[in-house]
Amino acid sequence: MNKAILKSAGESAFPCVRGWLWVVSLLTTAVFGVTAGNTQEPEIALGHETRESAGTYFHLYAEYQVGEAERLVFDLQVSCGKHTFENGRVVRGYLPALYAKKTASNSVVMLAIPRACDAIRFSETDKEFSASEMHASWELVLDGNFIPFTIWFEDAEDLTYGVGYALAESFENLSSPLKLIDARIEPSNEHAFSKWLQSDSGNLLEEYHIGPQFVTTDANQSYWAVFDPGKAIVPTKCYGVAVVSHYEKASLWLARRLFPGNGRRYWLAPQDLPNTKAQGSPSKEELFPHSSDQFYGNSPSVEFQLGINFIRRKKIRKKNEYSVRFWSIDVPEYYPAIRSDAYPVAGKNSFQNNGLKITVELLPETRGLLACYSKFNPIEYGDANPQDLYEYYFGPNYQSKVKKFGRLVDLEIRDGGEPILFHAIPALSFLPHFLIADESAAEFVTFEFFGGGHVR
């Protein structure tokens, strides 16, 4: 990644990734929340298992084509829940939880391991229909209708910024350097896992890569306790915008009524419009095309399954007991988003005189893709010298600047024509975050793909 391009004043263009022209957008938890539509991180146990998962193992096989001819294979054994090693060390969660391999062109492909232990137990003991969305999905996972959540890093020497694949169609984009060939999961056992673990040396990631919030050793905790802008933080989340069409939903009527039609394709809901139906009607809430089959309980869009770490490979067109919601409804179009205070972007004094800027690129070559990075101040990073961290970005006397940061946002939207810029708008805490003519509404979303475990 060319950091000079990302950090240059007024620029928001991603580097070229084999022909991909990227423009980044800026997203902040303080503004949008970790889950779209919320202003606080949800208290959700990522990858929650339905029962004790000690002794559950599976074999994950994923094959990709890189460029014109290179074949990249992930042939992994995975332990779920709890695994005790000969030295007495206990690893809880998934092992490996993240796995990265270098390509011949010195790029990197990283997989977020699908949290599929429930699928294995379903195949072995519980083959009966359940109304549970997750439980009812396992047969489709075992049949191969899934893709591990996949992140592409252009430069193996810089893993601070990656590109996440949010849709199966993203792999078919002509400008994509990565094509999916195959992916499958099958039950395994402790012997196969232990044998693989003893001989495996293909994972580029070490424990410290998973960042300050998740490391366990004293040495790695001490490493991340000290802020140093030269440290590389591997992302565990990807950010984007979900564009949801009105189709014939009730929101279409209201969008047609309110669309200003002033020659600008992109617009914001009127500020004097109530935020929710409870506060008055019509409302901003009614401008977002809610789905009766929405998958995410607290988000109108169909974001991927939080902490489950896979996307569906194909849509099941006929509903049956194993093709509910996530498998059979239309998902939004996704586009990458990045925030100006993202760790790979922010530099010394970046926010001394500047607020938060958000740039969104809506282009065919970025459809289905997400921007993967960490915030400039992830949890537990720089706890030993927080003053140095905030002075680096905000300058001296930073306290008041930090308090105000993110309250007003500059929103930039690029679609190949002249960029559209909205200056100093209030933090976008309520849906829709912006609208596209009378066609669709946009929502900023977060794909959180690391929920516990280790890489080795």
Side-chain angles (χ1 to χ4, degrees), residues 103-291:
T103 72
S105 59
N106 203 44
S107 297
V108 169
V109 177
M110 183 172 78
L111 299 191
I113 303 303
R115 305 181 79 77
C117 281
D118 272 334
I120 303 306
R121 286 191 291 275
F122 170 82
S123 70
E124 295 175 338
T125 61
D126 297 327
K127 263 198 171 175
E128 59 185 42
F129 171 68
S130 167
S132 164
E133 167 73 14
M134 290 295 97
H135 202 175
S137 297
W138 295 136
E139 185 165 295
L140 288 164
V141 173
L142 291 167
D143 284 345
N145 189 13
F146 80 101
I147 301 173
F149 190 62
T150 307
I151 301 94
W152 168 270
F153 297 91
E154 178 69 7
D155 183 359
E157 307 306 316
D158 185 357
L159 301 184
T160 61
Y161 171 78
V163 176
Y165 286 73
L167 298 173
E169 303 89 81
S170 309
F171 293 95
E172 303 304 319
N173 193 310
L174 294 177
S175 57
S176 171
L178 201 60
K179 309 295 181 187
L180 176 73
I181 304 301
D182 191 19
R184 59 181 183 268
I185 280 176
E186 59 186 2
S188 188
N189 54 59
E190 182 179 1
H191 174 74
F193 170 78
S194 298
K195 183 178 179 180
W196 172 84
L197 188 66
Q198 291 172 5
S199 61
D200 178 68
S201 60
N203 195 350
L204 292 179
L205 303 177
E206 301 286 350
E207 191 205 45
Y208 81 92
H209 279 118
I210 61 179
Q213 188 177 358
F214 302 107
V215 295
T216 58
T217 67
D218 291 340
N220 286 330
Q221 288 174 348
S222 297
Y223 174 81
W224 286 115
V226 178
F227 165 70
D228 179 350
K231 292 179 178 178
I233 303 177
V234 174
T236 57
K237 299 178 184 179
C238 297
Y239 301 91
V241 60
V243 176
V244 186
S245 174
H246 291 296
Y247 293 114
E248 296 302 323
K249 297 184 174 68
S251 59
L252 176 61
W253 174 85
L254 187 57
R256 286 176 174 172
R257 174 184 164 187
L258 296 178
F259 178 43
N262 56 3
R264 300 189 71 172
R265 178 169 170 76
Y266 304 99
W267 55 292
L268 305 176
Q271 291 191 17
D272 58 354
L273 206 62
N275 291 321
T276 67
K277 287 188 288 186
Q279 297 171 332
S281 187
S283 66
K284 294 175 184 175
E285 181 182 26
E286 292 172 278
L287 269 173
F288 204 94
H290 291 250
S291 168

Side-chain angles (χ1 to χ4, degrees), residues 29 32-46 237 296 298 303 306 446 448:
T29 299
F32 301 112
V34 168
T35 300
N38 293 322
T39 56
Q40 296 181 345
E41 293 201 14
E43 296 181 359
I44 297 175
L46 298 180
K237 299 178 184 179
Y296 226 4
N298 54 357
E303 197 169 349
L306 183 62
T446 303
E448 186 166 353

Side-chain angles (χ1 to χ4, degrees), residues 47-63:
H48 175 69
E49 298 295 341
T50 57
R51 70 184 77 168
E52 176 60 47
S53 55
T56 302
Y57 306 86
F58 66 86
H59 172 219
L60 170 65
Y61 181 90
E63 181 179 347

Side-chain angles (χ1 to χ4, degrees), residues 129-133 136-140 143 145 315-329:
F129 171 68
S130 167
S132 164
E133 167 73 14
S137 297
W138 295 136
E139 185 165 295
L140 288 164
D143 284 345
N145 189 13
K315 178 180 177 179
I316 303 299
R317 299 195 176 278
K318 182 179 179 181
K319 285 192 177 184
N320 56 49
E321 62 183 15
Y322 295 121
S323 63
V324 292
R325 292 184 294 181
F326 173 74
W327 303 94
S328 57
I329 61 177

Side-chain angles (χ1 to χ4, degrees), residues 224-228 376-399 402:
W224 286 115
V226 178
F227 165 70
D228 179 350
F376 78 103
N377 59 345
I379 295 173
E380 298 183 30
Y381 179 40
D383 283 357
N385 60 338
Q387 180 174 332
D388 293 343
L389 186 153
Y390 287 101
E391 281 190 350
Y392 178 81
Y393 293 108
F394 290 89
N397 303 315
Y398 59 84
Q399 290 85 350
V402 172

Side-chain angles (χ1 to χ4, degrees), residues 324-381:
V324 292
R325 292 184 294 181
F326 173 74
W327 303 94
S328 57
I329 61 177
D330 292 321
V331 296
E333 293 186 349
Y334 292 106
Y335 297 90
I338 198 171
R339 50 193 276 175
S340 60
D341 59 348
Y343 192 78
V345 178
K348 187 175 180 62
N349 296 323
S350 288
F351 316 122
Q352 186 167 5
N353 300 305
N354 298 311
L356 182 67
K357 183 181 179 183
I358 305 167
T359 307
V360 178
E361 183 168 271
L362 305 174
L363 291 174
E365 55 264 39
T366 60
R367 180 181 178 272
L369 302 174
L370 304 167
C372 308
Y373 53 86
S374 294
K375 297 185 295 182
F376 78 103
N377 59 345
I379 295 173
E380 298 183 30
Y381 179 40

